[in-house]
């Protein structure tokens, strides 16, 4: 059964355990309640079991699925959760499930779980919310209406998607301007997700001291999205047209909201802004006091466009990542350089000599490190799930002269392949999560679609679809069998020589074919 052994593994940069639906929580305050521990997991999915070891200041929380546990870990990796204003430390447990049936003192934990789960299934009144008012969940809408006040920096659909996805699956988002205010409608898969998001986020600032979220439940119970573009998106229907220049609200909804002035691209007038990205210092507890979260943690592509502005220095802090659970048979520094280079400029890579499952990757600055971590943690490479955390090291040391380390440490500081060297580079606005569809560019006229399909198939991928851009045959989209195949293909073929002095550029795409 669970004992305190998990806690001995977490000294410094040791590799974390592989994902498990059981989460091990350490350094919990001794007066903390079962409900408070459970509240750490609730925003990410159903909590199925709890074991408190108060004498050791530890607890184990079992989530219904590994996916929920991974989402929870990804959220709390850059953002230390707090209980009773004290930081607590979480990691995957070695245990795959919790067996607590025969243990003493489990009745309180089971009662707390039952209370939360009754609420989650939407059958009971939830008391003790902010201000103590009762909130009835029956028949509650899964659609939130969001108003952003103090809009000093552009807030995009992607920014909203990233923040609100922490509380559940976001199905649809529509953004519009009404009464000179930026507003959005956002539909979750489940009313419970909407409830948790509203409780945790209402009144929070997206950036330091500005872009305040005001959230209420919408009278609409579902949204009808006609176009997938930067104003509206249906994440369940990737086949929708972009409807260039079309209003994104249909007539009935437009009537309900007054005629929306469709927002022009937020990039137009925003070139001078660098958001102060804050990381919240509070756990998202269900009973959390509104306004206690501080600015929301944002590591999103929509912001990075603002990050390389001339005259702004790189943000100090942790720019070295510890990457673990690599496949030691096949991993090379070059592969990590290319993959992490999608999210920032990689300066150095060191695969650890005695433990080749682990590597250190030094990015140009802390923002790029956060960006790479948030996009790549949990992705599959060479058949293994990548684990990425911030390293305690400030930089990656090169081997001393004459001490060869079998080519496991590489310095890429002056590499010509950096994507983000030019301040304000367009590449900052084209950073997307890994996807099965890749964006190809710099294709010479002599190369046909069949040539490119054959090239990608030669890396072991299955090519599902291919399409040249109508306006510009130098660019194309190629859809592969899985995200993992696309990651491998990007590593193998970015900068591939296509002849005619053209080197292929490969990026992840937000579009589908």
């Amino acid at each position: 059964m669970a004992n305190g052994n998990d806690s001995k593994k977490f000294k410094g940069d040791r590799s974390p355990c592989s994902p498990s639906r059981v989460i091990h929580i350490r350094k919990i305050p001794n007066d903390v309640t079962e409900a408070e521990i459970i509240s750490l997991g609730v925003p990410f999915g159903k909590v199925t079991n709890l074991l408190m070891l108060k004498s050791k200041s530890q607890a184990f929380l079992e989530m219904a699925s590994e996916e929920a546990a991974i989402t929870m870990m990804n959220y709390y990796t850059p953002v230390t959760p707090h209980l009773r204003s004290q930081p607590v430390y979480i990691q995957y447990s070695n245990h795959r499930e919790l067996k607590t049936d025969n243990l003493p003192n489990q009745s309180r934990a089971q009662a707390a779980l039952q209370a939360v789960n009754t609420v989650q299934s939407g059958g009971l009144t939830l008391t003790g919310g902010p201000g103590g008012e009762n909130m009835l969940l029956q028949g509650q809408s899964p659609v939130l209406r969001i108003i952003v006040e103090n809009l000093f920096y552009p807030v995009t659909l992607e920014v909203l998607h990233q923040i609100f996805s922490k509380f559940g699956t976001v199905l649809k988002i529509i953004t519009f301007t009404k009464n000179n205010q930026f507003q959005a409608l956002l539909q979750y898969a489940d009313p419970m997700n909407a409830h948790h998001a509203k409780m945790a986020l209402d009144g929070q600032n997206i950036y330091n001291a500005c872009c305040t979220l005001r959230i209420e439940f919408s009278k609409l119970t579902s949204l009808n999205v006609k176009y997938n573009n930067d104003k509206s998106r249906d994440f369940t229907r990737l086949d929708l047209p972009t409807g260039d220049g079309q209003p994104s609200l249909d007539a009935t909804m437009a009537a309900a909201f007054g005629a929306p002035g469709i927002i022009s691209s937020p990039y137009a007038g925003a070139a001078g802004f660098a958001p102060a990205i804050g990381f919240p210092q509070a756990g998202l507890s269900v009973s959390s006091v509104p306004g206690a979260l501080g600015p929301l943690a944002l590591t999103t592509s929509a912001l990075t466009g603002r990050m390389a502005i001339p005259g702004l220095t790189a943000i100090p802090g942790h720019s070295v990542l510890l990457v673990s659970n690599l496949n030691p048979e096949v991993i090379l520094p070059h592969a990590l350089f290319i993959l992490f280079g999608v999210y920032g400029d990689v300066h150095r890579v060191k695969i650890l000599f005695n433990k080749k499952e682990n590597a250190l990757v030094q990015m140009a600055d802390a923002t790029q490190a956060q960006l790479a971590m948030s996009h790549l943690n949990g992705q599959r490479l060479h058949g293994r799930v990548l684990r990425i955390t911030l390293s305690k090291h400030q930089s990656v040391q090169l081997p001393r002269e004459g001490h060869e380390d079998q080519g496991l440490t590489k310095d890429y500081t002056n590499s010509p392949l950096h994507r983000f060297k030019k301040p304000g580079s367009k590449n900052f606005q084209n950073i997307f999560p890994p996807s099965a569809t890749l964006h190809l560019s710099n294709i010479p006229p002599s190369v046909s679609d069949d040539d490119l399909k054959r090239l990608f198939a030669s890396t072991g991928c299955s090519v599902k679809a291919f399409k040249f851009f109508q306006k510009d045959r130098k660019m194309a989209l190629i859809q592969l069998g899985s995200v993992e195949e696309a990651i491998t293909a990007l590593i193998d073929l970015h900068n591939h020589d296509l002849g005619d002095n053209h080197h292929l550029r490969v990026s992840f795409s937000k579009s589908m074919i």
Side-chain angles (χ1 to χ4, degrees), residues 26-233:
R26 295 173 302 120
K27 302 220 173 143
I28 60 173
N30 31 5
D31 52 350
V32 83
T33 65
E34 284 81 359
E36 285 172 281
I37 298 284
I38 293 168
S39 71
L40 291 173
V42 162
F44 308 100
K46 186 173 179 181
V47 178
T48 46
N49 210 344
L50 168 69
L51 175 64
M52 298 272 276
L53 301 173
K54 282 204 169 169
S55 59
K56 294 192 168 80
S57 301
Q58 298 180 20
F60 291 86
L61 196 65
E62 179 188 273
M63 303 298 287
S65 69
E66 200 172 285
E67 286 76 22
I70 290 173
T71 309
M72 178 176 171
M73 282 294 290
N74 286 354
Y75 180 79
Y76 288 131
T77 300
V79 184
T80 306
H82 283 58
L83 290 172
R84 307 258 168 140
S85 306
Q86 291 184 36
V88 295
Y89 298 94
I90 73 171
Q91 69 196 77
Y92 294 113
S93 166
N94 289 336
H95 302 288
R96 297 285 141 210
E97 59 181 323
L98 287 180
K99 294 196 171 67
T100 55
D101 301 347
N102 316 335
L103 292 171
N105 309 327
Q106 268 296 296
S107 52
R108 286 180 51 181
Q110 295 310 315
L113 282 166
Q114 203 171 349
V116 170
N117 289 336
T118 314
V119 168
Q120 275 196 311
S121 57
L124 255 195
T125 319
L126 183 66
T127 52
E133 75 274 19
N134 293 358
M135 300 190 63
L136 198 64
L137 282 171
Q138 274 174 323
Q140 180 181 291
S141 169
V143 179
L144 294 176
R145 183 174 179 194
I146 301 155
I147 296 175
V148 185
E149 296 175 346
N150 306 324
L151 194 71
F152 296 146
Y153 300 124
V155 172
T156 61
L157 187 146
E158 272 82 14
V159 171
L160 293 175
H161 184 248
Q162 179 159 2
I163 296 170
F164 283 83
S165 290
K166 303 225 187 297
F167 297 90
T169 305
V170 174
L171 301 182
K172 303 171 187 180
I173 303 179
I174 296 172
T175 62
F176 53 96
T177 300
K178 183 186 172 194
N179 304 338
N180 285 334
Q181 280 184 314
F182 176 67
Q183 301 195 18
L185 292 164
L186 182 144
Q187 181 179 341
Y188 276 110
D190 184 329
M192 200 64 207
N193 305 142
H195 172 78
H196 288 313
K198 179 180 185 297
M199 286 180 79
L201 298 176
D202 188 24
Q204 301 301 340
N205 294 333
I206 299 179
Y207 308 130
N208 284 335
C210 71
C211 300
T212 310
L213 292 167
R214 298 280 173 234
I215 303 171
E216 55 197 52
F217 291 107
S218 170
K219 295 183 181 66
L220 297 162
T221 51
S222 78
L223 301 178
N224 180 14
V225 174
K226 291 187 164 180
Y227 304 109
N228 280 343
N229 53 33
D230 58 352
K231 325 274 190 311
S232 63
R233 193 86 43 90

Side-chain angles (χ1 to χ4, degrees), residues 225-461:
V225 174
K226 291 187 164 180
Y227 304 109
N228 280 343
N229 53 33
D230 58 352
K231 325 274 190 311
S232 63
R233 193 86 43 90
D234 183 338
F235 296 93
T236 64
R237 295 266 323 271
L238 298 167
D239 55 324
L240 289 178
T242 57
D244 293 332
Q246 292 294 325
S248 38
L249 289 174
D250 66 17
T252 51
M253 294 182 73
F257 287 96
I262 298 301
I263 311 154
S264 64
S265 162
Y267 291 111
F273 288 129
I277 299 187
F279 293 100
Q281 287 304 310
L284 287 179
S285 85
V286 174
S287 56
S288 86
V289 189
L293 261 168
L296 299 165
L298 263 193
T299 51
T300 170
S301 51
L303 299 185
T304 40
R306 307 279 64 85
M307 286 305 168
I309 297 163
L312 278 179
T313 52
I315 300 173
H318 290 280
S319 59
V320 179
L321 299 169
L322 171 70
V323 186
S324 51
N325 203 32
L326 293 162
N327 185 331
E329 309 296 318
V330 285
I331 194 62
L332 292 168
H334 177 77
L336 295 173
F337 166 64
I338 295 293
L339 178 58
F340 282 72
V342 173
Y343 300 105
D345 291 339
V346 177
H347 284 192
R348 290 176 180 176
V349 176
K350 180 194 256 340
I351 294 172
L352 302 190
F353 188 75
N354 324 343
K355 283 197 76 176
K356 294 194 172 63
E357 293 89 45
N358 298 331
L360 295 171
V361 176
Q362 181 180 338
M363 306 296 289
D365 63 38
T367 304
Q368 295 182 5
Q370 282 288 349
L371 204 58
M373 181 166 75
S374 67
H375 282 92
L376 294 174
N377 188 32
Q379 297 291 346
R380 296 184 76 87
L381 174 65
H382 304 138
R384 293 196 171 195
V385 177
L386 290 180
R387 291 282 139 244
I388 304 171
T389 54
L390 292 171
S391 165
K392 65 179 190 299
H393 295 289
Q394 293 298 315
S395 66
V396 169
Q397 298 298 315
L398 295 176
R400 295 198 304 280
E401 278 197 36
H403 290 71
E404 209 20 70
D405 69 346
Q406 302 175 353
L408 295 177
T409 307
K410 294 278 190 209
D411 185 359
Y412 296 103
T413 311
N414 298 316
S415 168
L417 293 186
H418 287 167
R419 296 178 188 237
F420 305 100
K421 274 206 303 266
K422 289 197 191 94
S425 157
K426 252 214 200 103
N427 292 339
F428 278 106
Q429 289 166 34
N430 293 315
I431 294 180
F432 302 110
S435 59
T437 305
L438 295 171
H439 179 278
L440 312 180
S441 58
N442 206 27
I443 302 165
S446 58
V447 171
S448 70
D449 53 352
D450 284 341
D451 294 333
L452 288 163
K453 285 184 199 167
R454 272 197 301 275
L455 177 65
F456 277 80
S458 72
T459 67
C461 303

